[in-house]
Amino acid sequence: MRQILILGAGTAGTVMANRLARRYRRGLARGTTTITVVDPDPVHLYQPGLLFLPFGRYTTEHVVRPRSAQLDPAVRYIQDRITRLDPATDTVMLGDGRVLSYDVAVIATGARIAPEELEGLTGPGWRERMHDFYTLEGAQALRDALARFDGGRLVINVVEMPIKCPVAPLEFAFLADAYFTRRGIRDRVTITYATPLDGAFTKATCSRELQYLLDAKGIALETEFNAGRVDGPAGELVSWDERTVPFDLLVSVPTHRGAEFLAAVPDLTNDLGFVHTDPRTLQARRKPNLFAVGDATDVPASKAGSVVHFQAEGLEENIARVLDGRPLEAAFDGHANCFIETGHGKALLIDFNYEVEPLPGHFPFAWGPLPLLRESRLNHLGKLAFRHVYWNALLPGFDLPGVPSRMKREGKAFPSAPPPLPGPGAPLAR
Ligand SMILES: Cc1cc2nc3c(=O)[nH]c(=O)nc-3n(C[C@H](O)[C@H](O)[C@H](O)COP(=O)(O)OP(=O)(O)OC[C@H]3O[C@@H](n4cnc5c(N)ncnc54)[C@H](O)[C@@H]3O)c2cc1C
């Protein structure tokens, strides 16, 4: 009997459950294999849609679907919260006290936001003049606040890295520029983007391109801004080094943390609760029969749905290898692929991995059709199409034609000779 347990049924848990269900179809039918997924929330949320919801471009119906409908019928779904993981006995405990054992467990509990960790953020003014858009309730409240907003200082602040989809707050700033322009009140709104980074984005090449766009759209950039507290009634965001950014409407991307029960497991996670994970095999460092995937890991890749897709193939293989007692493959190369919505019907596209920064060129083939690191209408259409790809190809765990798990080098304009392909244990560019 082979018992595979998946902790969390968001993007990563669902993709892995569906892929493994196909791989072990026969064992599942004979009853020699079980695949169980646990998640307390009966609704699957398409998180990339939360970017568009505040601007009225998507409705709630566009972004939510029943969780169980996304899972292969051979997968057992338990709607409950995991309260404890015990690697010593290979068991987890659920909210109702049940104990489940496993041969292999995959931690896919994602990242949660912790707005209460910034002093004052959830105090007076929260969800009135201080908002987030990383939760459904937050995005809905922000949609109503934006509709009421008819001029003043809009501030977008990233409290701390890492965050999910590191480009999403920048996209929010670009879309806000387009939204206020469309409403004819752009001249009455100032937009400021305050980030703890020393540039607009985590990757230098991309940061330069995005800085140009921020300038062109009249969006002020406050770098190395480490938020220390918020004063809602006074409308002030204050950094640890006492810089003050005044606001009428604050859009915060709060501190991210891993699931609470993980932090209670000795030696499993870092300070933020993300699982110590081998960046190439995705095996948790704590125990060989534990893996982690998606936002739950501490690997230096973006926390993005596209990354989950690129991790899935190698992880599926490594789970089979652990069950069969074979050595693991160092399959994941840090591949990430993100459309960056820049407003007015355009978007950039970036494609990179642990070794290669976002470069200009073409995607997915050497000739295109999508340009890399350059604004285009086609990229915007690609971003909109991602929702259909997500529900119909990514979540079911299908491979995408022309887009392999490992980053393609063809089509990219390397400034000099491309770096050599890494071997196992090669150092990672951060
Ligand atoms: C605003 C926004 C925009 C984004 N845009 C993009 C984009 O354009 N492109 C892109 O690729 N990615 C984007 N992302 C990121 C993407 O949504 C995430 O990276 C992806 O969902 C990660 O999948 P995951 O399964 O690791 O985490 P999640 O999908 O968050 O799933 C985690 C699951 O674990 C469950 N869970 C948590 N605790 C427990 C527990 N104790 N017991 C059981 N279950 C538990 C949760 O209920 C949840 O269902 C965006 C995210 C946001 C917020």
Side-chain angles (χ1 to χ4, degrees):
M1 179 67 147
R2 252 190 305 237
Q3 298 183 96
I4 302 172
L5 181 61
I6 301 176
L7 287 54
T11 312
T14 302
V15 169
M16 290 318 300
N18 289 334
R19 288 191 77 107
L20 289 162
R22 279 199 296 281
R23 185 174 194 117
Y24 292 113
R25 181 74 67 212
R26 233 182 272 160
L28 287 165
R30 286 194 195 131
T32 53
T33 302
T34 61
I35 301 173
T36 305
V37 191
V38 184
D39 198 301
D41 188 343
V43 165
H44 189 112
L45 176 63
Y46 172 62
Q47 296 176 49
L50 298 179
L51 173 69
F52 293 108
L53 199 142
F55 301 103
R57 301 272 293 276
Y58 282 177
T59 62
T60 303
E61 289 66 43
H62 284 118
V63 297
V64 296
R65 289 194 183 177
R67 171 105 46 215
S68 54
Q70 312 313 315
L71 292 164
D72 187 290
V75 171
R76 177 180 172 220
Y77 168 49
I78 299 179
Q79 189 193 328
D80 205 342
R81 179 172 296 283
I82 297 162
T83 55
R84 210 175 67 200
L85 164 66
D86 183 5
T89 55
D90 295 332
T91 56
V92 300
M93 186 183 273
L94 307 187
D96 65 5
R98 258 183 299 176
V99 174
L100 305 177
S101 14
Y102 60 82
D103 296 305
V104 168
V106 182
I107 301 169
T109 39
R112 65 191 165 89
I113 62 160
E116 67 285 354
E117 290 196 16
L118 178 63
E119 187 187 325
L121 184 57
T122 51
W126 176 238
R127 298 262 156 94
E128 288 161 19
R129 68 189 315 204
M130 288 126 65
H131 293 267
D132 81 284
F133 67 100
Y134 271 49
T135 57
L136 182 57
E137 310 72 50
Q140 288 166 334
L142 180 54
R143 174 196 55 205
D144 300 342
L146 280 171
R148 289 193 301 267
F149 193 70
D150 60 3
R153 296 158 301 186
L154 170 69
V155 175
I156 298 135
N157 173 234
V158 176
V159 174
E160 193 178 349
M161 298 301 284
I163 60 168
K164 302 187 222 197
C165 193
V167 293
L170 270 168
E171 294 179 282
F172 188 92
F174 294 144
L175 288 179
D177 165 68
Y179 172 82
F180 292 123
T181 305
R182 211 167 44 243
R183 282 182 48 195
I185 59 166
R186 180 65 182 93
D187 57 340
R188 286 195 258 143
V189 181
T190 62
I191 306 178
T192 303
Y193 185 78
T195 168
L197 299 174
D198 59 5
F201 188 52
T202 47
K203 305 277 173 191
T205 48
C206 193
S207 228
R208 280 195 294 276
E209 193 64 30
L210 292 169
Q211 173 71 61
Y212 161 78
L213 286 168
L214 288 170
D215 291 344
K217 293 172 194 294
I219 299 169
L221 180 65
E222 279 282 339
T223 56
E224 297 178 348
F225 188 93
N226 292 298
R229 62 180 191 278
V230 187
D231 184 335
E236 285 180 350
L237 172 68
V238 186
S239 67
W240 283 109
D241 56 1
E242 296 297 329
R243 281 146 70 195
T244 298
V245 176
F247 64 83
D248 297 299
L249 188 62
L250 174 69
V251 177
S252 172
V253 179
T255 298
H256 282 39
R257 291 202 173 262
E260 264 158 319
F261 75 96
L262 296 175
V265 182
D267 303 325
L268 183 72
T269 65
N270 65 14
D271 290 348
L272 289 170
F274 296 120
V275 179
H276 293 302
T277 308
D278 183 291
R280 298 195 185 273
T281 64
L282 300 181
Q283 190 175 45
R285 301 215 189 260
R286 177 70 169 75
K287 209 176 169 194
N289 65 341
L290 270 182
F291 289 88
V293 61
D295 295 352
T297 78
D298 72 344
V299 306
S302 290
K303 294 196 182 301
S306 66
V307 169
V308 167
H309 173 77
F310 298 133
Q311 290 175 330
E313 187 184 8
L315 177 55
E316 178 197 324
E317 175 61 24
N318 278 342
I319 289 168
R321 283 170 179 249
V322 156
L323 287 168
D324 301 345
R326 290 181 289 135
L328 302 190
E329 257 184 359
F332 181 55
D333 67 350
H335 189 186
N337 179 287
C338 309
F339 289 102
I340 308 174
E341 192 67 14
T342 54
H344 306 285
K346 289 186 179 168
L348 290 174
L349 175 63
I350 53 175
D351 190 62
F352 56 101
N353 70 8
Y354 288 141
E355 281 77 31
V356 178
E357 286 226 349
L359 291 169
H362 295 100
F363 184 86
F365 306 107
W367 52 269
L370 302 174
L372 287 170
L373 213 51
R374 186 160 59 75
E375 266 191 307
S376 87
R377 172 102 185 128
L378 211 52
N379 286 340
H380 164 70
L381 297 176
K383 175 99 183 178
L384 296 185
F386 186 61
R387 183 163 63 92
H388 301 280
V389 172
Y390 183 86
W391 293 117
N392 301 308
L394 197 140
L395 278 190
F398 296 135
D399 296 333
L400 301 181
V403 189
S405 297
R406 280 180 182 271
M407 192 203 74
K408 273 187 182 174
R409 283 154 186 257
E410 62 173 316
K412 295 196 170 59
F414 286 89
S416 52
L421 283 168
L428 307 176
R430 286 179 187 244

